[in-house]
Amino acid sequence: MNKLIQFFKAHPIIKHIVYIILVAILLIVMVAVYLNLYTNHNDRLSVPDVCGLRVESAAKLLEGKGLLYEVIDSVYSKDVPKGFIVEQTPTAGSIVKQERKIYLVINSHSDRAIPLPNVVDLSVRQATSIIEASGLKVEKVTYKPSDFKDLVLGVYYKGKELHEGTLLLDGSAVEFYVGDGNGESDSITTAIDSLVYREVIEGEEL
């Protein structure tokens, strides 16, 4: 030890170089420790699965693990109760740092509204396929006088005639008025009767 001290006294330049190296090493260690604490380098979490939970329950679970959350969208799904989470990003099991925000998509609180497709003048079979593919149902088929057998004359819901584009709740059941092929439709017959009556009245006036 005494020889080392004597050496540094005899070579002051080397002593200063050693001091500089030691200070540099100390600074590097301090910076590394600071960065490790600042970025939570070792503080990583596995994202829990919150799909199928209510937002309130998911919030407690995420916040309990030091994670944040945000509801960014809503969709419509028959497979999940209203207001429950259907999608999350990052997905369950992903490794993230504390205070990472988890983005949530929930199932809509309201039923989906479906525009009625145009099925008038189509066959019952074709019209039924289109209606069911849209998310609606055919509850009843009522035959009406018409020259065209099995063609849809109109679509009704709770006794009211509907037109293309009318909004119905998902799963609503409609009724088809369909031609029986045995004669003219009620609307045509009524129109002819009205014309004949009008001609009679006008004839009497003359």
Side-chain angles (χ1 to χ4, degrees), residues 50-57 73-75 77 79-87 105-109:
V50 295
C51 289
L53 299 179
R54 286 187 176 275
V55 175
E56 296 81 0
S57 300
D73 198 5
S74 64
V75 297
S77 173
D79 301 325
V80 180
K82 296 176 182 178
F84 282 60
I85 298 169
V86 297
E87 185 179 329
V105 177
I106 65 171
N107 192 25
S108 176
H109 288 277

Side-chain angles (χ1 to χ4, degrees), residues 14-162:
I14 296 177
K15 181 178 68 172
H16 291 304
I17 293 174
V18 172
Y19 284 161
I20 292 172
I21 293 173
L22 292 176
V23 171
I25 293 173
L26 180 61
L27 288 174
I28 291 172
V29 171
M30 291 175 63
V31 170
V33 171
Y34 171 77
L35 290 176
N36 187 54
L37 294 174
Y38 180 78
T39 61
N40 296 320
H41 182 70
N42 296 318
D43 195 5
R44 294 182 177 273
L45 303 168
S46 176
V47 177
D49 186 2
V50 295
C51 289
L53 299 179
R54 286 187 176 275
V55 175
E56 296 81 0
S57 300
K60 292 180 180 179
L61 180 58
L62 294 172
E63 291 172 352
K65 289 183 172 293
L67 298 171
L68 307 177
Y69 75 95
E70 180 181 350
V71 177
I72 59 172
D73 198 5
S74 64
V75 297
Y76 178 80
S77 173
K78 292 181 179 180
D79 301 325
V80 180
K82 296 176 182 178
F84 282 60
I85 298 169
V86 297
E87 185 179 329
Q88 66 180 87
T89 304
T91 57
S94 299
I95 303 301
V96 299
K97 297 177 182 179
Q98 275 195 340
E99 297 188 354
R100 171 64 188 272
K101 184 173 287 187
I102 310 301
Y103 298 98
L104 308 176
V105 177
I106 65 171
N107 192 25
S108 176
H109 288 277
S110 59
D111 291 325
R112 179 178 57 164
I114 300 174
L116 179 70
N118 184 16
V119 295
V120 175
D121 293 334
L122 298 180
S123 68
V124 175
R125 179 179 297 180
Q126 185 179 2
T128 300
S129 298
I130 294 174
I131 287 292
E132 292 179 348
S134 71
L136 302 173
K137 300 176 183 178
V138 179
E139 180 181 43
K140 184 179 180 182
V141 175
T142 301
Y143 284 89
K144 296 289 184 178
S146 173
D147 289 332
F148 305 101
K149 183 175 175 59
D150 290 333
L151 288 186
V152 176
L153 305 175
V155 181
Y156 289 74
Y157 179 71
K158 295 183 178 179
K160 181 180 179 181
E161 185 176 10
L162 304 179

Side-chain angles (χ1 to χ4, degrees), residues 160-176:
K160 181 180 179 181
E161 185 176 10
L162 304 179
H163 301 285
E164 179 185 2
T166 301
L167 295 178
L168 296 172
L169 293 181
D170 182 69
S172 296
V174 299
E175 178 183 2
F176 283 167

